[in-house]
Amino acid sequence: MEDVLVLIVGAGPAGLATAACLSQLSIPYVIVERENCSAPLWRKHMYDRLKLHLAKEFCELPHMSYPLDTPTYIPKSTFIKYLDDYIECFQIQPRYLTVVESSTYDIDRKYWSVVARDIDNCTIVNYMAKFLVVASGENSAKNIPAVPGLENFTGVSIHSSSYKSGITYSGRNVLVVGSGNSGMEIAYDLASHGANTSIVIRSPVHVMTKEIIRLGMTLVRRLPMKMVDGLVVMMANFKFGDLSRYGIMRPKKGPFALKSENGRSAVIDVGTIDLIKKGNIKVQGEITKIKGKTIEFQVGNEGSFDAIVFATGYKSTANMWLKNGDDLLNTEGLPKKEFPDHWKGETMLYCAGFARRGLAGIAMDAKNIANDIKHNIESMSG
Ligand SMILES: Cc1cc2nc3c(=O)[nH]c(=O)nc-3n(C[C@H](O)[C@H](O)[C@H](O)COP(=O)(O)OP(=O)(O)OC[C@H]3O[C@@H](n4cnc5c(N)ncnc54)[C@H](O)[C@@H]3O)c2cc1C
Ligand SMILES: *[C@@H]1O[C@H](CO)[C@@H](O)[C@H](O)[C@H]1NC(C)=O
Ligand SMILES: *[C@@H]1O[C@H](CO)[C@@H](O)[C@H](O)[C@H]1NC(C)=O
Ligand SMILES: *[C@@H]1O[C@H](CO)[C@@H](O)[C@H](O)[C@H]1NC(C)=O
Ligand SMILES: *[C@@H]1O[C@H](CO)[C@@H](O)[C@H](O)[C@H]1NC(C)=O
């Protein structure tokens, strides 16, 4: 049994940011990570051509700016370099290959009892922590929807977290399922590598440019959200025209309203729309059935496909190991309380990186959590 003051679960950007904020306040902590490196989502599970979708001023972690010559839209490799520098600067030493399997709060003795498995040597590690920070991410497990016949699909089926580049799909018939940022960009990547590409777009989506979003994010700090939503939708309509005849509907609510209500991001176009308009990427409705290589869609279309890429998002898994945390997280492992009160539970329990607000939200959470822990330590000793 190891006695620690603060235990951070997860060494992605949120765990690292919390670690940095704690060390700035000279508060000791231990940070554990199930994989063999920090930020594995970025190092192992993102496609090659990815750049941060938001401008760099919205993507900084606390206490460290990007070098001045960093491009506005940061490539994946530059972001990973920034994380490496961050880890070095704050001397963060995650304990890798350590999976937290359960956390129970001991009400009488007022500490978290945490059981972790060391996957390297198959041993159990027990921690006793005064404070517990859940930083295991909104993207902890792949989400693949139930599709009738998928188990009998005779082509290759992968999740977007395993997709690297379209280079291996040249000349193949490929279907992308999901029309968020990943799905739209992967479709573009496939088509530009010569794959015969189709994309399933099931629900309405706001298509924007990165410049329009950057302008909106800047304006929304000062102007009413409704006004900004009206403005960016007008600009996007001017830029893209009416996309409904291509099967892309615009939601009734504005992009910033949707983002703040349910965390759904607008799609930032990387060139996909142009390929859809040219017919290089075909838009399909929902899948109704899969048989062999044949996939049937709503409205009676069907096609033969060699591969399916599910860009259908991720889910949290914190609910599977966090016991007595129901004041903080719901049964889906997401915060119960709304932003900006989402990060703090009752029993010295916190979550970082669950506000559906990307890296900017992570930076806010990390600072709030470290300051609150400091405050609690002071009032315990005073
Ligand atoms: C494709 C994609 C693009 C994105 N682009 C942007 C962008 O441009 N700008 C932006 O602001 N945001 C972006 N995001 C959103 C967000 O910033 C990232 O997902 C970010 O990595 C979230 O950081 P995190 O630390 O909360 O979660 P993660 O990076 O997922 O880190 C959580 C860590 O916890 C570990 N873990 C989970 N369970 C356990 C356990 N039981 N025990 C031990 N360890 C555990 C995981 O292995 C993981 O390393 C993007 C997300 C995706 C998926
Ligand atoms: C992590 O594991 C992968 C294989 O899953 C391996 O390729 C990689 O080199 C390892 N990284 C580190 C830092 O050990
Ligand atoms: C397992 O690994 C941990 C940490 O890496 C180490 O402290 C422990 O001694 C190891 N146990 C065995 C049985 O090798
Ligand atoms: C998948 O194939 C199995 C065995 O051939 C069959 O029993 C099952 O009904 C098929 N599933 C679907 C959804 O078609
Ligand atoms: C490309 O995919 C579409 C949609 O599935 C299909 O109709 C078409 O025949 C495919 N083209 C080739 C050359 O395979």
Side-chain angles (χ1 to χ4, degrees):
M1 179 78 77
E2 187 175 347
D3 200 345
V4 300
L5 188 58
V6 186
L7 184 72
I8 304 172
V9 182
L16 298 174
T18 307
C21 290
L22 288 170
S23 72
Q24 286 299 89
L25 301 173
S26 308
I27 299 170
Y29 63 84
V30 164
I31 177 168
V32 295
E33 165 58 50
R34 66 181 173 188
E35 294 205 38
N36 68 352
C37 58
S38 63
L41 186 64
W42 290 89
R43 291 179 207 271
K44 297 186 188 172
H45 304 297
M46 287 199 189
Y47 46 91
D48 295 343
R49 56 160 286 131
L50 182 81
K51 289 187 172 146
L52 295 192
H53 293 130
L54 306 179
K56 61 179 175 183
E57 64 266 29
F58 302 107
C59 295
E60 266 181 18
L61 298 182
H63 307 302
M64 198 171 122
S65 299
Y66 288 106
L68 280 177
D69 59 353
T70 307
T72 305
Y73 297 95
I74 300 176
K76 181 175 77 163
S77 59
T78 309
F79 182 65
I80 291 172
K81 173 77 174 53
Y82 171 77
L83 292 178
D84 285 337
D85 293 345
Y86 198 81
I87 288 166
E88 201 187 311
C89 176
F90 297 101
Q91 295 181 22
I92 305 169
Q93 293 176 322
R95 296 185 183 172
Y96 294 119
L97 299 170
T98 304
V99 195
V100 168
E101 293 189 331
S102 89
S103 309
T104 327
Y105 191 65
D106 186 325
I107 300 174
D108 296 329
R109 285 180 280 184
K110 295 197 166 48
Y111 64 69
W112 283 94
S113 169
V114 178
V115 180
R117 181 178 295 275
D118 178 330
I119 0 187
D120 222 4
N121 57 17
C122 296
T123 49
I124 295 289
V125 195
N126 290 293
Y127 294 99
M128 240 173 80
K130 189 79 205 160
F131 301 94
L132 180 64
V133 181
V134 180
S136 52
E138 296 162 333
N139 305 322
S140 179
K142 305 166 191 178
N143 179 52
I144 295 186
V147 178
L150 179 59
E151 68 274 26
N152 294 346
F153 179 56
T154 47
V156 175
S157 154
I158 63 165
H159 183 261
S160 58
S161 57
S162 310
Y163 179 91
K164 294 291 168 213
S165 154
I167 200 149
T168 48
Y169 296 91
S170 172
R172 295 309 184 88
N173 293 320
V174 186
L175 178 68
V176 179
V177 181
S179 54
N181 275 304
S182 294
M184 291 290 235
E185 185 157 8
I186 288 171
Y188 175 85
D189 192 54
L190 284 163
S192 45
H193 281 98
N196 182 23
T197 309
S198 301
I199 183 168
V200 171
I201 301 185
R202 284 176 300 184
S203 34
V205 57
H206 278 293
V207 179
M208 295 277 149
T209 67
K210 59 186 192 302
E211 293 81 13
I212 296 176
I213 285 293
R214 188 187 191 190
L215 176 70
M217 287 179 81
T218 308
L219 291 179
V220 86
R221 291 170 164 174
R222 286 158 195 276
L223 296 175
M225 190 185 283
K226 233 185 163 144
M227 189 186 281
V228 178
D229 268 337
L231 181 72
V232 297
V233 166
M234 197 175 76
M235 291 172 76
N237 283 339
F238 182 74
K239 162 85 186 164
F240 296 107
D242 177 12
L243 295 176
S244 62
R245 67 184 147 129
Y246 303 103
I248 304 173
M249 307 295 173
R250 205 173 269 292
K252 289 208 175 64
K253 284 189 177 164
F256 285 93
L258 283 177
K259 181 77 202 166
S260 78
E261 274 169 34
N262 61 18
R264 267 201 43 219
S265 299
V267 167
I268 294 172
D269 181 49
V270 294
T272 317
I273 297 301
D274 196 40
L275 295 185
I276 288 174
K277 286 179 176 170
K278 286 184 181 148
N280 291 4
I281 296 175
K282 288 153 279 289
V283 176
Q284 301 285 6
E286 193 155 357
I287 298 176
T288 48
K289 200 169 157 198
I290 301 179
K291 226 179 143 192
K293 281 193 166 184
T294 305
I295 302 183
E296 291 176 22
F297 303 97
Q298 253 168 12
V299 221
N301 290 350
E302 64 167 52
S304 174
F305 291 91
D306 303 305
I308 309 177
V309 180
F310 282 97
T312 38
Y314 294 85
K315 49 195 174 189
S316 168
T317 54
N319 50 307
M320 304 177 57
W321 53 266
L322 180 68
K323 323 283 174 199
N324 333 106
D326 11 339
D327 57 307
L328 183 72
L329 301 181
N330 63 22
T331 52
E332 293 179 340
L334 296 172
K336 267 196 172 157
K337 283 178 264 175
E338 273 179 31
F339 178 87
D341 303 314
H342 60 281
W343 54 277
K344 188 179 173 180
E346 303 293 328
T347 48
M348 308 294 167
L349 174 66
Y350 304 91
C351 64
F354 288 87
R356 299 189 174 237
R357 277 170 166 76
L359 297 161
I362 285 172
M364 281 176 66
D365 290 347
K367 286 189 233 167
N368 283 334
I369 291 168
N371 289 334
D372 199 72
I373 289 177
K374 182 178 162 60
H375 179 80
N376 274 312
I377 292 172
E378 281 167 359
S379 57
M380 272 164 9
S381 58

